[in-house]
Amino acid sequence: MKSRKLAVPLFALLALGHCLAFVDRNLPAVAAPLLKTDMGLSDAQLGLLDGPAFVLLYVVGMLGSWPLARSRNRFRMLALCIVTWAAGMAIFAFGHAFIVLVLARAMVGLGQAAYVPLALNLMVECSAPQWRARSIAIFTAAAPIGRGLSLLLGGGVLAMFARWVPGAAFAHWRLLFLVMAAPNLLLIGMLLNRKELSHEAAPPSGGVFKQIQAAFWERPGMMCAYLCGAGASVLVVQAIGAWAPSILHREHGLTPAMAASVFGVCLLVAQPVGHFTAGALIDRSQRGMSPMTMVAWALLLVIPLLSLIPRASSASTACCLLALASLVGGIAALAALANLPLILGTSLHDAGFRIFLSFITLTGVALGPFMTGLISDGLGTGGHGLSLALCNVCAGAAVLGTLAAFFAGRNGRRTAMEHVG
């Protein structure tokens, strides 16, 4: 089961699905300037579409899809997840009311919620312990690659529409969502043609959740600090990804297509390197720096980077600072995720991933983009209001996350050593 000959193509396929999920998930950030103009949305509404609307059914799907982990047809279940979020993309493209856009984003969240833990658990199940963090890094690196591709390809598609179909009756952002959903059809076919893998029967969900509850109450302080550090890491990455193109457009004069493309290139170059570096460091420092200590130092480093963004004097400087802050936040998020198998027994990994992903989605994905948009509306759209809002939200989260991660790293080391391997 854990032979590398079997695992490598499987990991590549699952990571591809994760990559396409983030391509689709982040399209509202690409289309935000056009949505604001075409539908008259406020920053708070744009933030709601990017965060809370996506999360609306995400947690329900994450926890409600628990029986899929025990299915004998896991690849078919993964394909069904992709069908669900692709349908949400199509509904978003044809939506003419804000509530329809919210429900369509919720449908995208529902499909991706079921895909992520099932795919991630397959990767952990098929990887040897000494390769586990790097296997997780392959999967998580697909997220920033997908985010970067969403911006780069989305910006390129918008530029192409502006040049070749400038007077289209169907708004360019609507065409964008339909075009970018098309590659999902290929992935669905690849998953349906994949031979199912045998796996050990999962224990009853009630027993597993009782064990997780017992593990939590054994060290409640360390567990809360761990979740706080992880949530802060994801909040930083999600808020930057949601608003960076708009900052480059509003505050530095780039067109929506150019802003998305430029930031997408920066993410494609920077973030995967950060993820793979973090995975290698974690695997090689099992007796040295703990993953949560790495989270703390990364979040501490991101604070001065965030403070420089509103002061950036050019689009290139702002873009580099945004990408670097996102890279460092991504290192923290990867380290927090890699710490989870170390503090939970093997039988609890699938349920643990689901609870973990539900929590960080509620705190990071929902709150980060929405709170930034809400504060931006209060500061006004002139000057550097949006970048100041982003700095305030992310720096505040990073300070709390740094303190929590240092505490979790110092107090969780013994628990981690009990569960290694």
Side-chain angles (χ1 to χ4, degrees), residues 225-234 236 278 282 289-305 328-337 339 394-411:
Y226 165 67
L227 291 173
C228 182
S233 304
V234 174
V236 169
I282 293 166
M289 182 186 296
S290 71
M292 289 311 294
T293 303
M294 187 179 297
V295 172
W297 283 110
L299 288 176
L300 190 62
L301 178 59
V302 88
I303 296 171
L305 294 173
V328 177
I331 291 175
L334 181 278
L337 180 59
N339 190 71
C394 292
V399 169
L400 292 176
T402 298
L403 297 174
F406 271 127
F407 177 85
R410 190 173 67 176
N411 291 276

mmCIF file of all heavy atoms in Angstrom, residues 225-234 236 278 282 289-305 328-337 339 394-411:
data_model
loop_
_atom_site.group_PDB
_atom_site.id
_atom_site.type_symbol
_atom_site.label_atom_id
_atom_site.label_comp_id
_atom_site.label_asym_id
_atom_site.label_seq_id
_atom_site.Cartn_x
_atom_site.Cartn_y
_atom_site.Cartn_z
ATOM 1 N N ALA A 225 -4.710 26.134 21.886
ATOM 2 C CA ALA A 225 -3.615 26.942 21.341
ATOM 3 C C ALA A 225 -3.237 26.464 19.952
ATOM 4 O O ALA A 225 -2.954 27.274 19.053
ATOM 5 C CB ALA A 225 -2.416 26.869 22.280
ATOM 6 N N TYR A 226 -3.233 25.149 19.751
ATOM 7 C CA TYR A 226 -2.923 24.588 18.439
ATOM 8 C C TYR A 226 -3.920 25.065 17.388
ATOM 9 O O TYR A 226 -3.545 25.530 16.306
ATOM 10 C CB TYR A 226 -2.916 23.056 18.518
ATOM 11 C CG TYR A 226 -2.961 22.370 17.175
ATOM 12 C CD1 TYR A 226 -1.887 22.467 16.299
ATOM 13 C CD2 TYR A 226 -4.072 21.643 16.785
ATOM 14 C CE1 TYR A 226 -1.922 21.854 15.057
ATOM 15 C CE2 TYR A 226 -4.113 21.021 15.549
ATOM 16 C CZ TYR A 226 -3.042 21.125 14.687
ATOM 17 O OH TYR A 226 -3.083 20.519 13.459
ATOM 18 N N LEU A 227 -5.206 24.978 17.703
ATOM 19 C CA LEU A 227 -6.236 25.403 16.754
ATOM 20 C C LEU A 227 -6.173 26.906 16.489
ATOM 21 O O LEU A 227 -6.398 27.353 15.360
ATOM 22 C CB LEU A 227 -7.619 25.012 17.283
ATOM 23 C CG LEU A 227 -7.932 23.505 17.310
ATOM 24 C CD1 LEU A 227 -9.254 23.251 18.019
ATOM 25 C CD2 LEU A 227 -7.964 22.936 15.900
ATOM 26 N N CYS A 228 -5.836 27.684 17.510
ATOM 27 C CA CYS A 228 -5.723 29.135 17.335
ATOM 28 C C CYS A 228 -4.571 29.473 16.388
ATOM 29 O O CYS A 228 -4.726 30.301 15.486
ATOM 30 C CB CYS A 228 -5.508 29.796 18.692
ATOM 31 S SG CYS A 228 -5.405 31.599 18.615
ATOM 32 N N GLY A 229 -3.414 28.821 16.580
ATOM 33 C CA GLY A 229 -2.282 29.057 15.693
ATOM 34 C C GLY A 229 -2.583 28.644 14.260
ATOM 35 O O GLY A 229 -2.227 29.348 13.311
ATOM 36 N N ALA A 230 -3.246 27.499 14.099
ATOM 37 C CA ALA A 230 -3.596 27.025 12.757
ATOM 38 C C ALA A 230 -4.601 27.955 12.089
ATOM 39 O O ALA A 230 -4.473 28.307 10.909
ATOM 40 C CB ALA A 230 -4.162 25.608 12.840
ATOM 41 N N GLY A 231 -5.636 28.376 12.834
ATOM 42 C CA GLY A 231 -6.642 29.266 12.282
ATOM 43 C C GLY A 231 -6.064 30.601 11.855
ATOM 44 O O GLY A 231 -6.424 31.143 10.800
ATOM 45 N N ALA A 232 -5.131 31.143 12.650
ATOM 46 C CA ALA A 232 -4.495 32.412 12.301
ATOM 47 C C ALA A 232 -3.685 32.284 11.022
ATOM 48 O O ALA A 232 -3.684 33.188 10.175
ATOM 49 C CB ALA A 232 -3.599 32.875 13.451
ATOM 50 N N SER A 233 -2.993 31.158 10.858
ATOM 51 C CA SER A 233 -2.181 30.940 9.655
ATOM 52 C C SER A 233 -3.052 30.949 8.405
ATOM 53 O O SER A 233 -2.719 31.595 7.397
ATOM 54 C CB SER A 233 -1.446 29.597 9.759
ATOM 55 O OG SER A 233 -0.660 29.532 10.923
ATOM 56 N N VAL A 234 -4.161 30.238 8.456
ATOM 57 C CA VAL A 234 -5.049 30.148 7.305
ATOM 58 C C VAL A 234 -5.729 31.491 7.039
ATOM 59 O O VAL A 234 -5.919 31.882 5.878
ATOM 60 C CB VAL A 234 -6.090 29.032 7.515
ATOM 61 C CG1 VAL A 234 -7.107 29.013 6.386
ATOM 62 C CG2 VAL A 234 -5.379 27.680 7.600
ATOM 63 N N VAL A 236 -4.519 34.470 7.475
ATOM 64 C CA VAL A 236 -3.568 35.348 6.773
ATOM 65 C C VAL A 236 -3.523 35.001 5.286
ATOM 66 O O VAL A 236 -3.629 35.872 4.414
ATOM 67 C CB VAL A 236 -2.169 35.227 7.404
ATOM 68 C CG1 VAL A 236 -1.119 35.910 6.525
ATOM 69 C CG2 VAL A 236 -2.153 35.839 8.800
ATOM 70 N N ALA A 278 9.046 23.698 3.905
ATOM 71 C CA ALA A 278 8.489 23.421 5.227
ATOM 72 C C ALA A 278 8.324 21.925 5.452
ATOM 73 O O ALA A 278 8.652 21.401 6.521
ATOM 74 C CB ALA A 278 7.145 24.133 5.392
ATOM 75 N N ILE A 282 10.276 19.817 8.397
ATOM 76 C CA ILE A 282 9.526 19.110 9.444
ATOM 77 C C ILE A 282 9.951 17.646 9.501
ATOM 78 O O ILE A 282 10.161 17.080 10.582
ATOM 79 C CB ILE A 282 8.011 19.226 9.204
ATOM 80 C CG1 ILE A 282 7.567 20.679 9.391
ATOM 81 C CG2 ILE A 282 7.227 18.320 10.155
ATOM 82 C CD1 ILE A 282 6.181 20.967 8.873
ATOM 83 N N MET A 289 13.131 21.412 16.096
ATOM 84 C CA MET A 289 12.002 22.339 16.163
ATOM 85 C C MET A 289 10.697 21.624 15.856
ATOM 86 O O MET A 289 10.577 20.930 14.860
ATOM 87 C CB MET A 289 12.224 23.475 15.158
ATOM 88 C CG MET A 289 11.123 24.526 15.172
ATOM 89 S SD MET A 289 11.308 25.787 13.865
ATOM 90 C CE MET A 289 12.852 26.545 14.367
ATOM 91 N N SER A 290 9.717 21.797 16.725
ATOM 92 C CA SER A 290 8.412 21.177 16.491
ATOM 93 C C SER A 290 7.670 21.953 15.416
ATOM 94 O O SER A 290 7.945 23.139 15.163
ATOM 95 C CB SER A 290 7.594 21.176 17.781
ATOM 96 O OG SER A 290 7.183 22.489 18.106
ATOM 97 N N PRO A 291 6.688 21.315 14.752
ATOM 98 C CA PRO A 291 5.916 22.037 13.730
ATOM 99 C C PRO A 291 5.250 23.302 14.257
ATOM 100 O O PRO A 291 5.200 24.321 13.567
ATOM 101 C CB PRO A 291 4.884 21.008 13.268
ATOM 102 C CG PRO A 291 5.536 19.690 13.504
ATOM 103 C CD PRO A 291 6.336 19.879 14.763
ATOM 104 N N MET A 292 4.743 23.274 15.502
ATOM 105 C CA MET A 292 4.057 24.449 16.027
ATOM 106 C C MET A 292 5.023 25.578 16.342
ATOM 107 O O MET A 292 4.657 26.753 16.265
ATOM 108 C CB MET A 292 3.233 24.080 17.261
ATOM 109 C CG MET A 292 2.009 23.239 16.947
ATOM 110 S SD MET A 292 0.990 23.888 15.589
ATOM 111 C CE MET A 292 0.375 25.407 16.283
ATOM 112 N N THR A 293 6.262 25.251 16.699
ATOM 113 C CA THR A 293 7.263 26.303 16.871
ATOM 114 C C THR A 293 7.553 26.963 15.526
ATOM 115 O O THR A 293 7.748 28.186 15.434
ATOM 116 C CB THR A 293 8.551 25.729 17.470
ATOM 117 O OG1 THR A 293 8.249 25.083 18.715
ATOM 118 C CG2 THR A 293 9.578 26.821 17.719
ATOM 119 N N MET A 294 7.561 26.166 14.450
ATOM 120 C CA MET A 294 7.729 26.714 13.112
ATOM 121 C C MET A 294 6.552 27.622 12.756
ATOM 122 O O MET A 294 6.733 28.681 12.134
ATOM 123 C CB MET A 294 7.853 25.586 12.088
ATOM 124 C CG MET A 294 8.203 26.043 10.683
ATOM 125 S SD MET A 294 8.372 24.672 9.506
ATOM 126 C CE MET A 294 9.772 23.797 10.218
ATOM 127 N N VAL A 295 5.343 27.242 13.156
ATOM 128 C CA VAL A 295 4.168 28.085 12.948
ATOM 129 C C VAL A 295 4.360 29.438 13.622
ATOM 130 O O VAL A 295 4.109 30.501 13.035
ATOM 131 C CB VAL A 295 2.895 27.400 13.499
ATOM 132 C CG1 VAL A 295 1.704 28.364 13.472
ATOM 133 C CG2 VAL A 295 2.560 26.155 12.691
ATOM 134 N N ALA A 296 4.830 29.402 14.873
ATOM 135 C CA ALA A 296 4.998 30.634 15.637
ATOM 136 C C ALA A 296 5.992 31.586 14.976
ATOM 137 O O ALA A 296 5.728 32.787 14.833
ATOM 138 C CB ALA A 296 5.437 30.297 17.060
ATOM 139 N N TRP A 297 7.153 31.064 14.577
ATOM 140 C CA TRP A 297 8.170 31.918 13.961
ATOM 141 C C TRP A 297 7.699 32.469 12.611
ATOM 142 O O TRP A 297 7.993 33.622 12.267
ATOM 143 C CB TRP A 297 9.483 31.159 13.794
ATOM 144 C CG TRP A 297 10.251 31.014 15.080
ATOM 145 C CD1 TRP A 297 10.460 29.870 15.797
ATOM 146 C CD2 TRP A 297 10.880 32.074 15.824
ATOM 147 N NE1 TRP A 297 11.176 30.135 16.927
ATOM 148 C CE2 TRP A 297 11.462 31.472 16.978
ATOM 149 C CE3 TRP A 297 11.017 33.440 15.634
ATOM 150 C CZ2 TRP A 297 12.161 32.217 17.914
ATOM 151 C CZ3 TRP A 297 11.712 34.181 16.579
ATOM 152 C CH2 TRP A 297 12.284 33.570 17.702
ATOM 153 N N ALA A 298 6.969 31.661 11.852
ATOM 154 C CA ALA A 298 6.463 32.133 10.560
ATOM 155 C C ALA A 298 5.451 33.257 10.754
ATOM 156 O O ALA A 298 5.496 34.280 10.045
ATOM 157 C CB ALA A 298 5.840 30.971 9.787
ATOM 158 N N LEU A 299 4.527 33.103 11.703
ATOM 159 C CA LEU A 299 3.539 34.150 11.952
ATOM 160 C C LEU A 299 4.195 35.419 12.495
ATOM 161 O O LEU A 299 3.754 36.536 12.186
ATOM 162 C CB LEU A 299 2.472 33.643 12.932
ATOM 163 C CG LEU A 299 1.485 32.620 12.378
ATOM 164 C CD1 LEU A 299 0.550 32.127 13.479
ATOM 165 C CD2 LEU A 299 0.673 33.214 11.231
ATOM 166 N N LEU A 300 5.236 35.249 13.294
ATOM 167 C CA LEU A 300 5.956 36.420 13.803
ATOM 168 C C LEU A 300 6.613 37.188 12.660
ATOM 169 O O LEU A 300 6.618 38.426 12.638
ATOM 170 C CB LEU A 300 7.010 35.967 14.815
ATOM 171 C CG LEU A 300 7.699 37.064 15.633
ATOM 172 C CD1 LEU A 300 6.681 37.819 16.481
ATOM 173 C CD2 LEU A 300 8.787 36.459 16.512
ATOM 174 N N LEU A 301 7.144 36.461 11.690
ATOM 175 C CA LEU A 301 7.802 37.093 10.544
ATOM 176 C C LEU A 301 6.809 37.808 9.639
ATOM 177 O O LEU A 301 7.140 38.817 9.003
ATOM 178 C CB LEU A 301 8.568 36.034 9.748
ATOM 179 C CG LEU A 301 9.284 36.487 8.469
ATOM 180 C CD1 LEU A 301 10.314 37.574 8.786
ATOM 181 C CD2 LEU A 301 9.960 35.303 7.793
ATOM 182 N N VAL A 302 5.579 37.317 9.576
ATOM 183 C CA VAL A 302 4.608 37.895 8.640
ATOM 184 C C VAL A 302 4.131 39.283 9.085
ATOM 185 O O VAL A 302 3.696 40.086 8.256
ATOM 186 C CB VAL A 302 3.405 36.926 8.468
ATOM 187 C CG1 VAL A 302 2.321 37.164 9.499
ATOM 188 C CG2 VAL A 302 2.805 37.065 7.072
ATOM 189 N N ILE A 303 4.238 39.597 10.368
ATOM 190 C CA ILE A 303 3.718 40.873 10.886
ATOM 191 C C ILE A 303 4.423 42.081 10.262
ATOM 192 O O ILE A 303 3.754 42.997 9.761
ATOM 193 C CB ILE A 303 3.800 40.904 12.434
ATOM 194 C CG1 ILE A 303 2.884 39.812 13.020
ATOM 195 C CG2 ILE A 303 3.390 42.277 12.965
ATOM 196 C CD1 ILE A 303 3.052 39.603 14.518
ATOM 197 N N PRO A 304 5.767 42.152 10.284
ATOM 198 C CA PRO A 304 6.403 43.317 9.636
ATOM 199 C C PRO A 304 6.154 43.375 8.131
ATOM 200 O O PRO A 304 6.088 44.472 7.561
ATOM 201 C CB PRO A 304 7.899 43.132 9.948
ATOM 202 C CG PRO A 304 8.062 41.704 10.321
ATOM 203 C CD PRO A 304 6.766 41.300 10.947
ATOM 204 N N LEU A 305 6.013 42.224 7.484
ATOM 205 C CA LEU A 305 5.710 42.237 6.051
ATOM 206 C C LEU A 305 4.352 42.885 5.791
ATOM 207 O O LEU A 305 4.195 43.696 4.878
ATOM 208 C CB LEU A 305 5.724 40.809 5.500
ATOM 209 C CG LEU A 305 7.073 40.088 5.501
ATOM 210 C CD1 LEU A 305 6.890 38.630 5.078
ATOM 211 C CD2 LEU A 305 8.054 40.794 4.567
ATOM 212 N N VAL A 328 4.941 33.110 3.607
ATOM 213 C CA VAL A 328 5.273 32.831 5.007
ATOM 214 C C VAL A 328 4.049 32.296 5.750
ATOM 215 O O VAL A 328 4.145 31.365 6.556
ATOM 216 C CB VAL A 328 5.830 34.096 5.678
ATOM 217 C CG1 VAL A 328 6.107 33.839 7.160
ATOM 218 C CG2 VAL A 328 7.112 34.546 4.984
ATOM 219 N N GLY A 329 2.878 32.877 5.465
ATOM 220 C CA GLY A 329 1.655 32.345 6.064
ATOM 221 C C GLY A 329 1.381 30.921 5.627
ATOM 222 O O GLY A 329 0.897 30.091 6.412
ATOM 223 N N GLY A 330 1.717 30.607 4.356
ATOM 224 C CA GLY A 330 1.538 29.240 3.865
ATOM 225 C C GLY A 330 2.449 28.249 4.568
ATOM 226 O O GLY A 330 2.060 27.102 4.824
ATOM 227 N N ILE A 331 3.676 28.658 4.884
ATOM 228 C CA ILE A 331 4.579 27.794 5.652
ATOM 229 C C ILE A 331 3.968 27.474 7.011
ATOM 230 O O ILE A 331 3.979 26.332 7.471
ATOM 231 C CB ILE A 331 5.946 28.469 5.811
ATOM 232 C CG1 ILE A 331 6.678 28.531 4.472
ATOM 233 C CG2 ILE A 331 6.811 27.736 6.846
ATOM 234 C CD1 ILE A 331 7.985 29.283 4.510
ATOM 235 N N ALA A 332 3.411 28.503 7.652
ATOM 236 C CA ALA A 332 2.777 28.294 8.951
ATOM 237 C C ALA A 332 1.588 27.341 8.842
ATOM 238 O O ALA A 332 1.404 26.444 9.677
ATOM 239 C CB ALA A 332 2.329 29.639 9.528
ATOM 240 N N ALA A 333 0.769 27.513 7.797
ATOM 241 C CA ALA A 333 -0.407 26.657 7.630
ATOM 242 C C ALA A 333 -0.005 25.204 7.383
ATOM 243 O O ALA A 333 -0.619 24.272 7.920
ATOM 244 C CB ALA A 333 -1.266 27.174 6.475
ATOM 245 N N LEU A 334 1.030 24.976 6.561
ATOM 246 C CA LEU A 334 1.507 23.618 6.296
ATOM 247 C C LEU A 334 2.044 22.975 7.557
ATOM 248 O O LEU A 334 1.764 21.809 7.858
ATOM 249 C CB LEU A 334 2.579 23.660 5.203
ATOM 250 C CG LEU A 334 3.240 22.361 4.721
ATOM 251 C CD1 LEU A 334 4.361 21.890 5.613
ATOM 252 C CD2 LEU A 334 2.223 21.261 4.503
ATOM 253 N N ALA A 335 2.812 23.735 8.338
ATOM 254 C CA ALA A 335 3.373 23.185 9.582
ATOM 255 C C ALA A 335 2.266 22.816 10.565
ATOM 256 O O ALA A 335 2.341 21.779 11.243
ATOM 257 C CB ALA A 335 4.331 24.199 10.209
ATOM 258 N N ALA A 336 1.210 23.642 10.640
ATOM 259 C CA ALA A 336 0.101 23.327 11.540
ATOM 260 C C ALA A 336 -0.611 22.051 11.107
ATOM 261 O O ALA A 336 -0.961 21.199 11.940
ATOM 262 C CB ALA A 336 -0.881 24.497 11.569
ATOM 263 N N LEU A 337 -0.817 21.884 9.813
ATOM 264 C CA LEU A 337 -1.476 20.679 9.315
ATOM 265 C C LEU A 337 -0.612 19.446 9.556
ATOM 266 O O LEU A 337 -1.113 18.384 9.945
ATOM 267 C CB LEU A 337 -1.775 20.827 7.827
ATOM 268 C CG LEU A 337 -2.469 19.646 7.132
ATOM 269 C CD1 LEU A 337 -3.806 19.348 7.788
ATOM 270 C CD2 LEU A 337 -2.657 19.932 5.652
ATOM 271 N N ASN A 339 1.356 18.930 11.902
ATOM 272 C CA ASN A 339 1.403 18.614 13.330
ATOM 273 C C ASN A 339 0.242 17.730 13.766
ATOM 274 O O ASN A 339 0.346 17.021 14.767
ATOM 275 C CB ASN A 339 1.381 19.922 14.132
ATOM 276 C CG ASN A 339 1.674 19.710 15.606
ATOM 277 O OD1 ASN A 339 2.795 19.418 15.989
ATOM 278 N ND2 ASN A 339 0.656 19.866 16.440
ATOM 279 N N CYS A 394 -5.015 40.858 9.385
ATOM 280 C CA CYS A 394 -4.019 39.782 9.351
ATOM 281 C C CYS A 394 -2.977 39.926 10.451
ATOM 282 O O CYS A 394 -2.563 38.932 11.053
ATOM 283 C CB CYS A 394 -3.335 39.737 7.988
ATOM 284 S SG CYS A 394 -4.427 39.223 6.649
ATOM 285 N N ALA A 395 -2.532 41.163 10.726
ATOM 286 C CA ALA A 395 -1.533 41.355 11.776
ATOM 287 C C ALA A 395 -2.115 41.021 13.144
ATOM 288 O O ALA A 395 -1.440 40.410 13.983
ATOM 289 C CB ALA A 395 -1.014 42.790 11.749
ATOM 290 N N GLY A 396 -3.374 41.402 13.376
ATOM 291 C CA GLY A 396 -4.010 41.049 14.639
ATOM 292 C C GLY A 396 -4.097 39.541 14.830
ATOM 293 O O GLY A 396 -3.809 39.013 15.912
ATOM 294 N N ALA A 397 -4.485 38.840 13.765
ATOM 295 C CA ALA A 397 -4.563 37.381 13.832
ATOM 296 C C ALA A 397 -3.178 36.771 14.035
ATOM 297 O O ALA A 397 -3.015 35.800 14.788
ATOM 298 C CB ALA A 397 -5.197 36.830 12.560
ATOM 299 N N ALA A 398 -2.168 37.341 13.369
ATOM 300 C CA ALA A 398 -0.817 36.796 13.468
ATOM 301 C C ALA A 398 -0.250 36.943 14.878
ATOM 302 O O ALA A 398 0.453 36.051 15.369
ATOM 303 C CB ALA A 398 0.099 37.482 12.455
ATOM 304 N N VAL A 399 -0.537 38.055 15.545
ATOM 305 C CA VAL A 399 -0.056 38.242 16.925
ATOM 306 C C VAL A 399 -0.654 37.178 17.841
ATOM 307 O O VAL A 399 0.058 36.516 18.611
ATOM 308 C CB VAL A 399 -0.414 39.657 17.425
ATOM 309 C CG1 VAL A 399 -0.158 39.763 18.931
ATOM 310 C CG2 VAL A 399 0.402 40.708 16.686
ATOM 311 N N LEU A 400 -1.979 37.007 17.767
ATOM 312 C CA LEU A 400 -2.625 35.983 18.594
ATOM 313 C C LEU A 400 -2.127 34.588 18.239
ATOM 314 O O LEU A 400 -1.867 33.755 19.112
ATOM 315 C CB LEU A 400 -4.145 36.055 18.411
ATOM 316 C CG LEU A 400 -4.837 37.310 18.957
ATOM 317 C CD1 LEU A 400 -6.327 37.278 18.614
ATOM 318 C CD2 LEU A 400 -4.643 37.413 20.467
ATOM 319 N N GLY A 401 -1.977 34.321 16.934
ATOM 320 C CA GLY A 401 -1.515 33.010 16.501
ATOM 321 C C GLY A 401 -0.099 32.715 16.934
ATOM 322 O O GLY A 401 0.232 31.566 17.277
ATOM 323 N N THR A 402 0.777 33.721 16.932
ATOM 324 C CA THR A 402 2.164 33.526 17.367
ATOM 325 C C THR A 402 2.220 33.095 18.821
ATOM 326 O O THR A 402 2.908 32.117 19.180
ATOM 327 C CB THR A 402 2.968 34.827 17.176
ATOM 328 O OG1 THR A 402 3.003 35.170 15.794
ATOM 329 C CG2 THR A 402 4.387 34.665 17.690
ATOM 330 N N LEU A 403 1.512 33.813 19.686
ATOM 331 C CA LEU A 403 1.503 33.471 21.113
ATOM 332 C C LEU A 403 0.938 32.069 21.334
ATOM 333 O O LEU A 403 1.492 31.266 22.112
ATOM 334 C CB LEU A 403 0.678 34.502 21.882
ATOM 335 C CG LEU A 403 1.218 35.944 21.852
ATOM 336 C CD1 LEU A 403 0.233 36.893 22.536
ATOM 337 C CD2 LEU A 403 2.582 36.019 22.524
ATOM 338 N N ALA A 404 -0.152 31.759 20.655
ATOM 339 C CA ALA A 404 -0.783 30.446 20.817
ATOM 340 C C ALA A 404 0.127 29.332 20.315
ATOM 341 O O ALA A 404 0.246 28.275 20.943
ATOM 342 C CB ALA A 404 -2.118 30.416 20.072
ATOM 343 N N ALA A 405 0.794 29.545 19.162
ATOM 344 C CA ALA A 405 1.644 28.502 18.586
ATOM 345 C C ALA A 405 2.877 28.241 19.439
ATOM 346 O O ALA A 405 3.304 27.090 19.579
ATOM 347 C CB ALA A 405 2.053 28.895 17.170
ATOM 348 N N PHE A 406 3.464 29.285 20.019
ATOM 349 C CA PHE A 406 4.594 29.075 20.930
ATOM 350 C C PHE A 406 4.160 28.228 22.124
ATOM 351 O O PHE A 406 4.869 27.310 22.552
ATOM 352 C CB PHE A 406 5.156 30.411 21.415
ATOM 353 C CG PHE A 406 6.222 30.982 20.537
ATOM 354 C CD1 PHE A 406 6.128 32.283 20.056
ATOM 355 C CD2 PHE A 406 7.333 30.227 20.178
ATOM 356 C CE1 PHE A 406 7.108 32.816 19.231
ATOM 357 C CE2 PHE A 406 8.323 30.755 19.354
ATOM 358 C CZ PHE A 406 8.216 32.045 18.887
ATOM 359 N N PHE A 407 2.981 28.526 22.658
ATOM 360 C CA PHE A 407 2.464 27.752 23.792
ATOM 361 C C PHE A 407 2.218 26.306 23.380
ATOM 362 O O PHE A 407 2.599 25.362 24.095
ATOM 363 C CB PHE A 407 1.166 28.382 24.297
ATOM 364 C CG PHE A 407 0.520 27.621 25.425
ATOM 365 C CD1 PHE A 407 0.914 27.824 26.744
ATOM 366 C CD2 PHE A 407 -0.478 26.684 25.176
ATOM 367 C CE1 PHE A 407 0.334 27.117 27.783
ATOM 368 C CE2 PHE A 407 -1.076 25.979 26.205
ATOM 369 C CZ PHE A 407 -0.666 26.194 27.517
ATOM 370 N N ALA A 408 1.578 26.101 22.232
ATOM 371 C CA ALA A 408 1.280 24.741 21.766
ATOM 372 C C ALA A 408 2.555 23.971 21.473
ATOM 373 O O ALA A 408 2.648 22.776 21.769
ATOM 374 C CB ALA A 408 0.396 24.796 20.525
ATOM 375 N N GLY A 409 3.554 24.627 20.880
ATOM 376 C CA GLY A 409 4.803 23.952 20.571
ATOM 377 C C GLY A 409 5.550 23.513 21.802
ATOM 378 O O GLY A 409 6.144 22.434 21.843
ATOM 379 N N ARG A 410 5.517 24.350 22.839
ATOM 380 C CA ARG A 410 6.243 24.013 24.066
ATOM 381 C C ARG A 410 5.529 22.934 24.871
ATOM 382 O O ARG A 410 6.166 22.074 25.469
ATOM 383 C CB ARG A 410 6.406 25.265 24.932
ATOM 384 C CG ARG A 410 7.347 25.066 26.102
ATOM 385 C CD ARG A 410 7.605 26.361 26.831
ATOM 386 N NE ARG A 410 6.394 26.848 27.496
ATOM 387 C CZ ARG A 410 6.369 27.935 28.275
ATOM 388 N NH1 ARG A 410 7.461 28.653 28.438
ATOM 389 N NH2 ARG A 410 5.244 28.322 28.845
ATOM 390 N N ASN A 411 4.202 22.960 24.865
ATOM 391 C CA ASN A 411 3.444 22.031 25.704
ATOM 392 C C ASN A 411 2.964 20.784 24.969
ATOM 393 O O ASN A 411 2.498 19.844 25.602
ATOM 394 C CB ASN A 411 2.227 22.749 26.302
ATOM 395 C CG ASN A 411 2.610 23.796 27.311
ATOM 396 O OD1 ASN A 411 2.826 23.494 28.480
ATOM 397 N ND2 ASN A 411 2.731 25.045 26.872
#
